[in-house]
Amino acid sequence: MSERPNVILVCVDQWRGDCLSVEDHPVVHTPHLDRLAARGARFPRAYSATPTCVPARMALLTGLSQTSHRRVGYQDGVPFDVETTLPGEFRRNGYQTQAIGKMHYAPTRARLGFDDVRLHDGYLHHSRRRARAVETFDDYLPWLREQAGQSAVSDYVDNGLNCNSYVARPWDKAESLHPTNWIATETISWLYRRDPTVPFFLYLSFHRPHPPFDPPAWAFEQYLHQDDAEPPVGDWWEEYAEHRDDRNLEGFVARFPPEAARRARAGYYGHMAHIDLQLNRIVEALTEFELGDDTYVCFVADHGDMLGDHNLYRKGFPYEGSARIPFLLAGSGTGRGVRREEVVELRDVMPTLLDCAGLDIPAGVEGRSVLGLARGEPVPNWRPYLHGEHALLGQSLQWLTDGRQKYVWMSGTGAEQLFDLVDDPRECHNLAPDPAHGTDLHRWRETLVRELAGRPEGYVKDGLLVPGCPPMTVLPEPLSRPDR
């Protein structure tokens, strides 16, 4: 092991925390990610506090909570305005820093501390305009058009699928041309070109399993006829019934025909199987470059996908399908096969990876290193709960969890939900109306009041939660919040 290890951060887009076979998912098979977990640590209570791409990725690269990086909903085009970043700290300490894949920051080509970025954000409406040269916002598409058998107008949208649609079909080109393969191919190519005299920080950001659901045919078909359990539907789902639109295949609330929903799940799971194999391709290459023993690997997602749970789709919701994410960490300084139940979050990635490299964690970073947890050590005074939120469907969905219970407050209607995540992990039964749980409900409500006091939206007045306040997607300035 060299004095300064290499560090690889793998971020996948929209991967649910339960979709690993090591987590006993009944259908998904991820043998190579399972092997990563076996030689390191996994955190089954990992969350994305603001579960859509833009705010989640702010937490990932800054180590800040949403009230400090200010993104409390999804809004494209907001300039990145945090000076201290994860890649910037590695670079400042002599690391070569490289990003490959999805960034989803503004402006599009901002490097944020990376020496270089090979970019593919997928289909972003904010960036993709016919009047703009594709080279200004994408590196994958020009590469695709240079490959044998492709034309000057070949595109990853040739198959007709939309970027948030639940229509699913197999990839229409050679598997080697898939964006998932492109990440791995670019990674291996970069390993030849890296500076061998310094350690590296490598950010590999896969656009999938985010829609379009277009994995290679073998990956799609292996799940198409699996005996997949029907998604759960809680006794509370009609809280969202006014937003139901069964004809909108990019909608957030719907009851799609069973066959269409089953095909969507097959496409989603197929992406996971495909990514799992391409990650193994990268790991094997690291071994061939004799880098395997000198490299930490961290695997996370920016958020999950409701995938029909409770008749909800996509992300931004406080429920486990949307907010819970995978979080794996393996390297020479971790234990083997460690499982920790502490609540961890994307803001913890930055201090963790700096800690793995033996680098100082900058003042102001609000996340905590999980390296001690990953070693199997006792870590006192871990956070007692996580506060999450997201503006969605005309309101802010506010939530708190300690990994055992979850409290949800809907700012539009004032509706409250309380779930027992131990006995009811699929969140099917809302305990809030039950007087037997009144003490817990009051405790969580008072905790949220403390979190939201002083917010510019006006969510708290005279010590009470106030429904009906218009939500924001970006706070006007950072806010100090209670100690966690």
Side-chain angles (χ1 to χ4, degrees), residues 278-315:
Q278 290 299 305
L279 284 175
N280 183 57
R281 179 184 170 201
I282 293 169
V283 169
E284 292 292 343
L286 288 171
T287 301
E288 293 168 0
F289 280 102
E290 300 183 65
L291 296 170
D293 294 335
D294 294 343
T295 303
Y296 279 90
V297 178
C298 180
F299 176 86
V300 296
D302 58 353
H303 52 78
D305 189 312
M306 291 306 296
L307 207 67
D309 289 3
H310 316 297
N311 299 315
L312 305 177
Y313 286 86
R314 299 176 62 179
K315 59 272 192 174

Side-chain angles (χ1 to χ4, degrees), residues 241-483:
E242 66 177 297
H243 303 287
R244 179 178 171 182
D245 185 354
D246 296 354
R247 299 293 182 183
N248 181 4
L249 292 170
E250 298 183 15
F252 287 93
V253 187
R255 281 184 168 173
F256 295 137
E259 175 64 14
R262 185 170 62 84
R263 288 181 64 87
R265 293 195 297 272
Y268 184 66
Y269 300 153
H271 275 320
M272 293 170 169
H274 187 202
I275 291 170
D276 185 74
L277 279 176
Q278 290 299 305
L279 284 175
N280 183 57
R281 179 184 170 201
I282 293 169
V283 169
E284 292 292 343
L286 288 171
T287 301
E288 293 168 0
F289 280 102
E290 300 183 65
L291 296 170
D293 294 335
D294 294 343
T295 303
Y296 279 90
V297 178
C298 180
F299 176 86
V300 296
D302 58 353
H303 52 78
D305 189 312
M306 291 306 296
L307 207 67
D309 289 3
H310 316 297
N311 299 315
L312 305 177
Y313 286 86
R314 299 176 62 179
K315 59 272 192 174
F317 293 98
Y319 311 110
E320 295 289 277
S322 166
R324 186 180 158 213
I325 58 171
F327 194 141
L328 310 176
L329 179 67
S332 63
T334 68
R336 297 182 67 87
V338 174
R339 174 190 170 110
R340 298 299 296 250
E341 297 292 335
E342 286 86 349
V343 172
V344 301
E345 203 264 323
L346 284 176
R347 78 186 73 148
D348 299 326
V349 170
M350 178 174 178
T352 297
L353 299 187
L354 294 175
D355 198 8
C356 289
L359 304 180
D360 292 337
I361 298 169
V365 167
E366 295 171 320
R368 293 185 63 181
S369 172
V370 306
L371 185 56
L373 298 175
R375 291 179 177 138
E377 300 169 353
V379 178
N381 303 316
W382 195 257
R383 67 171 59 91
Y385 65 88
L386 174 69
H387 171 219
E389 63 181 300
H390 202 282
L392 189 71
L393 301 175
Q395 61 183 327
S396 180
L397 301 176
Q398 298 280 337
W399 54 282
L400 303 163
T401 186
D402 60 2
R404 297 177 297 278
Q405 291 185 329
K406 183 184 291 179
Y407 170 78
V408 177
W409 179 68
M410 303 179 185
S411 77
T413 62
E416 294 178 301
Q417 298 173 335
L418 181 67
F419 300 105
D420 184 333
L421 297 179
V422 177
D423 293 336
D424 181 25
R426 304 181 86 184
E427 300 168 307
C428 289
H429 184 45
N430 179 17
L431 301 174
D434 186 347
H437 297 278
T439 300
D440 285 335
L441 187 68
H442 177 76
R443 172 173 56 88
W444 284 118
R445 185 188 300 132
E446 291 301 302
T447 302
L448 186 62
V449 166
R450 291 195 299 273
E451 287 284 345
L452 297 181
R455 285 278 291 260
E457 301 97 332
Y459 292 142
V460 172
K461 183 177 181 180
D462 298 328
L464 300 174
L465 295 172
V466 179
C469 302
M472 294 180 175
T473 54
V474 180
L475 298 177
E477 58 185 18
L479 301 174
S480 60
R481 296 267 49 91
D483 292 337

